Amino acid sequence: RVVAPPTQPPRTTPQTAPRTGRPAQPGQPGQRAAADTARRRPTPPQDSLFDALLLLPGYTAVQYQADSAEFNNASRTLRLRGDATVTREGTTLDARDSIVYRERSRFVEAYGLPKVVGQGEDITGNVMFYDLTTKRATVQGARTKVAENGTWFVEGNVTSEAAERVYATNSTFTTDDRPEPAYHFKADKIMIVRDRLLVGRPAVLYFRNVPVMALPFIVQDLDKGRRSGILIPQFDVNDLVRTSPRRTNRGTGRQLSNLGYYWAINQYMGAQLAGEWRSGSYKSLAGNLDYRVLRSFLDGNVTFQEYWRSDEASRNFNVSARTSWKPSERTDLAVQANYASSSSFERQRTVDPFRATAQLHSSGSVSRRFDWGNVNLSSELTQSLADDSKQSTLPTLSVAVNPITLFKSADPEHGRFYNDATLSMSLTGSRGINSPGDALRTRNPSVTNTQLAASQSVSFHSLSISTSAQFARRDQQGLAAIDSADAATGITLNRLAAIRQFSSSAASWSLSTGYQFHLIGTSTFNPAITLNQQFVMIDDTIGNPVRLYVPPAGAFGRWVAAPARLTFGATVSADLFGFFPGVGPYSAIRHHVRPGLSYGYSPGYEPDPIRRAAFGLAETSTSNRLTVTMDQTFEGKVRQVRPRPQQRADSTSADSAAAPAAEAPADARKVTLLAISTSSLVYDFNPIRQPDPFDLTNPRFTTSDVSNTIRSDLLGGLNLSVGHDLFLRRRNAAGQVVGRTFSPYLTALSTSFTLGQSSALFRFLGLYHGPNQTSRGTQPNTPDTVSQPIQNPQAGQTAFGNTQQAGGGPWSMSVRYSLARTRPQVDTLGTVAGRDNQDLTGTLQFYPTKNWGVSWNTSYSVTDHSFVQQSLDFTRNLYRWTANFTFSRTATGNTAFSFRVHLIDLPDLKFDYRESNLGFDRPTTVTQR
């Protein structure tokens, strides 16, 4: 062992030299060297002199070990022979044959499968040379790896300079870590700049031993973190090899995107500017700004994209923004913006089925929490890309006061009446605008609604007193009349009446009190008394388009107050249970019924002509109504599988105190077999004339529609909603209802559920055989909860284009069905047929093999017998490569087919083929008559 002074050679190889090689084949030199290293002779015990040398200040210890050592004083050369080992500062150099150190030239040679193990990655080779002066290391037949943004295994003649650059000649590199890699690159020259860049040129891609692609160079960025630079352009191979011009009936135009630059402004902000071009369709320029300041709780981004159409001078733009900021502990600010200047342009250019019919949501809110309560100011805008309609709420103000405890009883056990009396107050105001799209604007006016509401409540245990006040105003835009004419004959068929401008204002206040009596079990009885009053402003000469009674002259433009009305009511609710023996995997079944009964009585009054015109007959007559509700649930208790008792050991041979304590049994899992909820049914003991001027009947049974909602855990996320029209109405020649007959008619049906291999239905049928092995990135369905229904992606957050990962896993299927029907009308002229509309949507994901994944999303119109939209994706796992086949069709007719193969460790190395047919590519045909 030798202690070298600081002028002696440092480490035998730099820390940043090429790193651990790819696993060697059985019987290869690399494995023999590793075996020889593993059977090193034991290190002799250290003595006091050796320990003292190691503690000398200003020196670096270098330990030498070999079968024999030879030092030539004349040439100042040290030669270690036979399983030589040199260790310095945590770095070890092993050589099976010999290690030579030439002091005068400061040069190190290692022969016989040298191997360097140290602070960095390991490196093995056939022969190794190291110049201590220039810190240049050369390894012939090196095997190492570079672990930067992926692990690259490199073989060849490797040279390292100054611990910063690595050069390799006649080398191969791959990310496949298997003994026989399925692919590799072969390059004449490779340069690796530490933590910055990997470049190989020229590079030939081999699958096994077959060359499949030649590249002038290959580049891998090794730098970490954000930095400025030119974006990598995105294009398809078919855009390069296509020579024929773009055909007008198919989407075969060239497309080039992501042409731009990214600027890392600082560690908190970054900006990007990129362009896109599609031949014969459009050009676009997109800008993006992202920021994230964790110290200030600020996070968000802003994206703006402008389009220039090739066939017209119009310009369209899209805006997308999101920000979240918490300037203080009590203040929150959130903004989300999604807007498209032209919905038709979006429908023409997108190939995402969800984007074509998406709802773009924009919102902004500021909330402040005070000691006394919360204040929230928000606004919302919704834009439909399907019909360009808009709904906005600008703004909404909400003020809520924290519940105030007025006083507590001195004796909580006996003074229950005054225990924990609380006061709550809130104030809400909003203004909303509904604007129809271009296709519906001619017959649907724009409507503005303004609302203001305030409420407060006081509770004394079971006694509650509440007050509320509301104000509402509706402004409707007027529309001119339209003549409807037959396109072939030009004869006017009918004249649609004009929709006049209309404004109305209404206000009301109410005062109510109630008390809750606890009956048997959870049953309750709640009597209540309510006092309310309404105010209506009779419109000026604008006039209400639908008015049952015409007010007298001089009544327009003034507020009219209805007399205060007193309403007496009571509500009874109960919980009834029935228990039944179990069946199959359920040890017991429970039937839970929750009926509800409500009664309300309000005396009427004789209105004068002004109040009759303002409120109508329905609001001035006596109200004497009974309301019935019903909910019921069937629940099953899953049988518990008891483990086999272990055989007890002989008490004389084992200590009984050492036996583990018995665990408490876990609670049995409950499954909702069937839950049915029925809408309320109303019976009026004092029938009055309906507010509909075309309904001349005065029925006691006022409920005309009933709906039932059914859900079950046997089918994952099952929700079934059924609606029925209860009465068949007979009309006269004027279209007025003159009678009705009880005849239930199905008007609405919607259902959705999800199935999976671990769902409760398959468990009940005995088709579930335990958990399944899943590939990375996939999550199995838990036994307690079946697969959740796949939600439709929201605008700006669509899952289209995110390829599915292959590799096996549980399958899942989500189905949604909806039916809307209108009952045929019966009048004196005969029967007019109703209209039906049926839609079926579904999502299916499964894995045929461990390397294949399939995802299918579709929407089918049963009424039109056609597919509205489609999205089909096939994924093939090629170990370090991934192949995707994708087909999509939007509701507007845009189609796209793409094929993509890319290297997982280097996504920019890819083969893309895409064929799209956009609305710009389909010429518009105009037929003249």
Side-chain angles (χ1 to χ4, degrees):
R1 303 178 179 83
V2 180
V3 178
T7 58
Q8 294 300 316
R11 63 189 65 179
T12 57
T13 185
Q15 177 184 353
T16 56
R19 302 175 182 177
T20 303
R22 160 165 78 84
Q25 300 295 327
Q28 286 186 350
Q31 286 189 339
R32 294 196 300 268
D36 293 340
T37 305
R39 53 181 176 83
R40 292 296 181 195
R41 65 181 66 85
T43 303
Q46 300 177 0
D47 53 17
S48 58
L49 178 61
F50 184 80
D51 294 338
L53 291 175
L54 292 177
L55 297 177
L56 287 178
Y59 288 85
T60 300
V62 181
Q63 300 185 31
Y64 302 92
Q65 184 175 350
D67 293 341
S68 64
E70 176 185 346
F71 181 73
N72 190 328
N73 189 36
S75 59
R76 306 298 296 177
T77 302
L78 174 65
R79 185 183 301 273
L80 304 176
R81 300 180 184 274
D83 293 335
T85 301
V86 179
T87 303
R88 176 190 172 127
E89 294 182 331
T91 300
T92 301
L93 170 62
D94 291 333
R96 186 178 181 183
D97 183 74
S98 62
I99 297 178
V100 180
Y101 169 58
R102 308 182 188 277
E103 182 181 1
R104 292 179 179 176
S105 59
R106 297 178 56 82
F107 199 79
V108 178
E109 305 170 8
Y111 301 93
L113 304 178
K115 180 179 181 181
V116 178
V117 180
Q119 300 177 358
E121 299 291 348
D122 300 347
I123 180 173
T124 60
N126 298 326
V127 181
M128 180 180 297
F129 305 98
Y130 186 72
D131 190 338
L132 297 177
T133 303
T134 61
K135 297 182 180 181
R136 179 188 181 100
T138 301
V139 183
Q140 296 181 0
R143 292 171 295 277
T144 184
K145 68 179 181 180
V146 179
E148 301 288 349
N149 293 344
T151 302
W152 292 87
F153 301 93
V154 182
E155 293 186 2
N157 299 327
V158 177
T159 301
S160 174
E161 287 186 352
E164 292 295 331
R165 292 174 180 259
V166 177
Y167 299 93
T169 59
N170 298 324
S171 302
T172 62
F173 56 97
T174 179
T175 59
D176 194 337
D177 58 353
R178 293 175 294 185
E180 295 184 2
Y183 88 97
H184 67 274
F185 292 93
K186 186 175 182 180
D188 294 341
K189 296 181 180 180
I190 299 177
M191 181 183 69
I192 302 174
V193 182
R194 178 176 173 81
D195 296 333
R196 288 188 55 190
L197 193 66
L198 184 151
V199 180
R201 64 177 181 90
V204 180
L205 174 62
Y206 283 81
F207 284 99
R208 298 298 183 183
N209 295 324
V210 180
V212 295
M213 182 183 297
L215 302 174
F217 60 87
I218 183 173
V219 181
Q220 167 71 13
D221 192 356
L222 305 181
D223 198 359
K224 298 180 181 180
R226 300 165 54 254
R227 65 271 186 195
S228 302
I230 299 176
L231 303 178
I232 299 178
Q234 296 180 1
F235 55 89
D236 300 325
V237 175
N238 54 324
D239 292 334
L240 299 178
V241 301
R242 181 186 298 122
T243 57
S244 60
R246 183 176 69 92
R247 290 168 287 181
T248 58
N249 60 342
R250 294 184 60 190
T252 56
R254 292 183 174 90
Q255 187 167 342
L256 187 62
S257 60
N258 208 41
L259 298 172
Y261 186 82
Y262 179 81
W263 178 28
I265 303 175
N266 52 42
Q267 58 180 338
Y268 308 110
M269 301 178 63
Q272 175 179 310
L273 188 65
E276 181 181 1
W277 169 76
R278 180 177 173 88
S279 62
S281 298
Y282 63 86
K283 298 182 291 292
S284 72
L285 186 64
N288 178 69
L289 175 67
D290 60 311
Y291 47 88
R292 187 179 185 186
V293 186
L294 296 180
R295 183 175 301 177
S296 302
F297 300 96
L298 177 63
D299 182 18
N301 62 75
V302 179
T303 302
F304 181 86
Q305 190 167 10
E306 181 128 8
Y307 298 88
W308 291 270
R309 293 284 302 273
S310 301
D311 54 351
E312 57 185 42
S314 63
R315 299 169 58 184
N316 305 286
F317 65 89
N318 294 345
V319 176
S320 176
R322 178 195 59 82
T323 187
S324 174
W325 184 31
K326 193 172 184 179
S328 66
E329 184 180 357
R330 294 189 170 189
T331 305
D332 292 326
L333 184 146
V335 175
Q336 179 181 359
N338 291 282
Y339 180 76
S341 62
S342 175
S343 299
S344 60
F345 176 78
E346 282 297 296
R347 293 193 298 268
Q348 284 182 326
R349 79 173 188 88
T350 184
V351 294
D352 185 349
F354 304 107
R355 176 73 178 180
T357 58
Q359 298 279 344
L360 303 185
H361 296 276
S362 301
S363 62
S365 65
V366 179
S367 61
R368 173 71 178 178
R369 186 174 71 256
F370 298 92
D371 294 336
W372 49 266
N374 298 324
V375 178
N376 181 271
L377 179 65
S378 63
S379 61
E380 183 176 1
L381 172 65
T382 302
Q383 178 187 7
S384 174
L385 294 182
D387 55 11
D388 198 29
S389 61
K390 300 181 181 65
Q391 297 180 359
S392 60
T393 303
L394 304 168
T396 298
L397 175 64
S398 176
V399 180
V401 180
N402 295 332
I404 302 173
T405 301
L406 300 179
F407 51 85
K408 293 185 178 181
S409 172
D411 187 3
E413 295 183 359
H414 301 86
R416 295 177 57 191
F417 186 85
Y418 295 104
N419 188 26
D420 293 339
T422 58
L423 171 66
S424 301
M425 293 181 289
S426 65
L427 175 66
T428 304
S430 64
R431 184 173 186 268
I433 302 175
N434 298 334
S435 301
D438 296 335
L440 305 176
R441 186 169 289 116
T442 56
R443 298 311 310 154
N444 293 272
S446 178
V447 178
T448 303
N449 296 311
T450 304
Q451 297 179 350
L452 184 65
S455 63
Q456 69 85 26
S457 64
V458 181
S459 62
F460 299 90
H461 190 61
S462 296
L463 176 66
S464 62
I465 302 174
S466 61
T467 60
S468 63
Q470 298 86 25
F471 171 79
R473 178 175 177 82
R474 176 185 174 93
D475 297 304
Q476 178 177 288
Q477 181 184 7
L479 295 176
I482 297 179
D483 292 334
S484 178
D486 183 80
T489 61
I491 302 176
T492 300
L493 301 179
N494 61 338
R495 181 180 179 85
L496 301 179
I499 300 178
R500 293 174 293 174
Q501 185 178 357
F502 166 60
S503 300
S504 64
S505 300
S508 63
W509 64 267
S510 65
L511 172 64
S512 63
T513 180
Y515 189 82
Q516 185 179 71
F517 292 94
H518 292 277
L519 303 179
I520 301 175
T522 59
S523 302
T524 58
F525 174 68
N526 300 279
I529 301 177
T530 303
L531 180 66
N532 60 14
Q533 188 177 17
Q534 293 186 353
F535 304 88
V536 172
M537 175 181 284
I538 299 181
D539 312 315
D540 207 341
T541 54
I542 297 175
N544 192 329
V546 179
R547 186 181 297 280
L548 300 180
Y549 305 98
V550 179
F556 293 100
R558 45 181 287 197
W559 283 92
V560 177
R565 300 191 64 178
L566 191 64
T567 302
F568 303 92
T571 301
V572 179
S573 63
D575 292 288
L576 306 177
F577 297 93
F579 297 91
F580 306 94
V583 58
Y586 306 108
S587 59
I589 296 177
R590 184 179 69 176
H591 184 199
H592 178 200
V593 182
R594 185 178 179 85
L597 189 65
S598 300
Y599 173 76
Y601 174 78
S602 177
Y605 63 92
E606 186 63 29
D608 54 27
I610 296 180
R611 289 189 175 91
R612 181 184 296 270
F615 301 103
L617 189 60
E619 299 296 333
T620 59
S621 302
T622 300
S623 177
N624 189 6
R625 295 188 174 186
L626 181 67
T627 303
V628 180
T629 59
M630 176 69 70
D631 295 330
Q632 51 184 328
T633 304
F634 293 88
E635 294 178 327
K637 183 178 181 181
V638 180
R639 297 183 188 273
Q640 290 183 325
V641 179
R642 297 182 179 179
R644 292 184 177 180
Q646 298 181 357
Q647 295 182 356
R648 297 183 178 180
D650 188 0
S651 60
T652 60
S653 61
D655 186 3
S656 60
E663 297 182 357
D667 293 338
R669 185 168 55 93
K670 298 180 179 61
V671 175
T672 301
L673 304 178
L674 184 64
I676 304 175
S677 178
T678 306
S679 61
S680 60
L681 304 177
V682 181
Y683 182 83
D684 198 334
F685 295 94
N686 185 28
I688 59 173
R689 185 173 132 98
Q690 297 293 324
D692 185 357
F694 299 101
D695 192 347
L696 304 181
T697 61
N698 297 316
R700 292 182 179 274
F701 195 72
T702 60
T703 302
S704 59
D705 300 295
V706 64
S707 63
N708 291 275
T709 302
I710 302 173
R711 62 182 181 87
S712 174
D713 287 342
L714 294 180
L715 293 177
L718 171 64
N719 285 281
L720 176 63
S721 179
V722 183
H724 286 83
D725 183 9
L726 300 180
F727 300 98
L728 174 63
R729 297 166 181 82
R730 297 186 301 274
R731 301 177 182 272
N732 57 19
Q736 295 176 319
V737 178
V738 295
R740 64 178 190 171
T741 304
F742 181 74
S743 177
Y745 184 82
L746 180 65
T747 57
L749 174 64
S750 63
T751 181
S752 63
F753 63 90
T754 299
L755 277 178
Q757 61 189 31
S758 61
S759 59
L761 178 62
F762 287 88
R763 289 177 172 272
F764 179 79
L765 298 177
L767 301 178
Y768 177 72
H769 302 288
N772 293 273
Q773 298 295 331
T774 59
S775 64
R776 58 187 183 276
T778 59
Q779 297 292 336
N781 296 329
T782 60
D784 296 340
T785 57
V786 294
S787 304
Q788 298 298 325
I790 300 176
Q791 303 293 336
N792 288 336
Q794 300 293 329
Q797 301 177 350
T798 61
F800 176 77
N802 295 337
T803 56
Q804 179 179 342
Q805 188 171 4
W811 64 272
S812 64
M813 180 180 64
S814 176
V815 179
R816 180 175 302 171
Y817 172 79
S818 63
L819 167 66
R821 306 172 66 194
T822 57
R823 182 195 288 270
Q825 298 181 4
V826 180
D827 53 22
T828 57
L829 300 179
T831 302
V832 180
R835 296 185 303 273
D836 296 349
N837 186 22
Q838 301 181 66
D839 293 316
L840 179 65
T841 60
T843 301
L844 176 63
Q845 294 182 356
F846 65 99
Y847 306 87
T849 66
K850 65 178 182 179
N851 292 324
W852 276 98
V854 180
S855 176
W856 180 34
N857 188 296
T858 183
S859 177
Y860 180 76
S861 176
V862 182
T863 304
D864 300 332
H865 304 285
S866 62
F867 286 94
V868 179
Q869 61 186 26
Q870 292 266 18
S871 175
L872 186 61
D873 180 85
F874 295 90
T875 302
R876 179 67 164 90
N877 184 8
L878 303 172
Y879 194 62
R880 306 310 303 172
W881 295 74
T882 299
N884 293 102
F885 307 84
T886 303
F887 171 79
S888 66
R889 182 185 186 276
T890 68
T892 57
N894 295 350
T895 59
F897 169 78
S898 64
F899 169 73
R900 172 188 174 94
V901 179
H902 70 277
L903 181 61
I904 298 176
D905 303 288
L906 186 57
D908 294 327
L909 182 61
K910 62 185 186 303
F911 177 89
D912 284 352
Y913 178 87
R914 179 175 54 184
E915 198 75 37
S916 59
N917 184 1
L918 306 184
F920 312 112
D921 307 319
R922 298 188 297 272
T924 303
T925 303
V926 180
T927 303
Q928 298 181 356
R929 294 183 180 271

